[in-house]
Amino acid sequence: MAEPIPLRRPSLHEEVATRLRNMIFERQLLPGQWVDELALARDWQISRTPLREALKVLAAEGLVVPVPRQGSKVAEIPEDEADELLPVMALLEGRCAFEAVRKARDADIRRLQRLHEQLEKHAAAHDIEAYYRANHEFHSAVQALAGNRWLDRATGDLRRFVRLLRGRQLHWPGRIEASINEHRVLLDAIVQRDAARAERVMHDHLLAQLAALKALRQHERAQGAPHAG
């Protein structure tokens, strides 16, 4: 039997999808912006085939919206959908915190403490972008510690849409100070291995994000400023 011919770079479109996903999460591609396939193919020195396959992956994830005969646009989260998304995320992340506390080893808690130290550093500097990234890492670590594949799947799917908001609520005056305070209470519950309290604190932390986001949007409307999500 003849030796099979190996496929060349079978995961190229997955690599492209990862790069596009990161561009969206880092706001290099903004909500509502058209994806310039020609420019990206040229810059990345690839054909448009893996790029289009990657866009199909992101469309299935809800991160881009295909428009017939025009291309793909980065998805936007309308205000009413954000208002519905964050309470659901609060339930899921609360459960993540509950299960994480029950399963965490001492080394896991020490890692969360190190991540929290980064949050403290960025909050003190009022570095919103760095705080946002560290916050995402902390929440993702709690999710991973929960060790529940069904919870992980549901939370991970929705976290992609939360990331489209890019922590806009942190721009509301006083929010970053309130957020780090909430994280201090959460970390204390984790260190004390109080799963029920960790669940409540995490849940309320997400709802506080929503309250800040609503306040920011109301202020922007009052000022006549444009907003996204």
Side-chain angles (χ1 to χ4, degrees), residues 60-197:
E61 294 176 357
L63 295 179
V64 300
V65 179
V67 180
R69 295 180 295 280
Q70 295 186 59
S72 298
K73 297 173 70 173
V74 179
E76 300 178 85
I77 302 293
E79 289 186 6
D80 58 340
E81 290 189 12
D83 294 349
E84 293 173 352
L85 169 62
L86 286 172
V88 176
M89 198 66 179
L91 292 170
L92 291 171
E93 291 222 49
R95 184 66 191 183
C96 283
F98 179 87
E99 297 198 17
V101 170
R102 296 183 68 185
K103 298 174 183 177
R105 300 164 298 179
D106 290 345
D108 298 323
I109 291 179
R110 286 194 294 272
R111 177 169 180 258
L112 291 179
Q113 288 174 316
R114 290 193 296 271
L115 291 173
H116 178 83
E117 288 171 3
Q118 291 301 307
L119 283 169
E120 291 278 5
K121 171 186 171 184
H122 299 315
H126 210 271
D127 188 335
I128 290 177
E129 282 299 312
Y131 185 89
Y132 167 78
R133 289 192 292 271
N135 184 65
H136 170 70
E137 189 174 357
F138 184 94
H139 282 255
S140 296
V142 172
Q143 177 184 336
L145 283 177
N148 180 328
R149 71 187 184 102
W150 300 110
L151 181 59
D152 185 65
R153 180 173 180 174
T155 308
D157 283 349
L158 291 188
R159 192 181 300 284
R160 286 197 294 265
F161 298 103
V162 173
R163 292 183 73 183
L164 290 176
L165 299 173
R166 190 65 191 175
R168 282 204 332 112
Q169 72 281 352
L170 292 171
H171 292 274
W172 180 242
R175 177 56 201 156
I176 197 167
E177 292 82 6
S179 178
I180 191 62
N181 231 17
E182 291 156 15
H183 268 273
R184 290 170 188 147
V185 177
L186 174 61
L187 184 65
D188 181 69
I190 293 171
V191 171
Q192 298 300 323
R193 295 189 178 276
D194 189 336
R197 183 159 70 101

Side-chain angles (χ1 to χ4, degrees), residues 7-13 15 45-46:
L7 295 172
R8 296 182 62 187
R9 302 191 71 182
S11 62
L12 178 57
H13 79 277
E15 296 173 19
Q45 298 181 358
I46 59 174

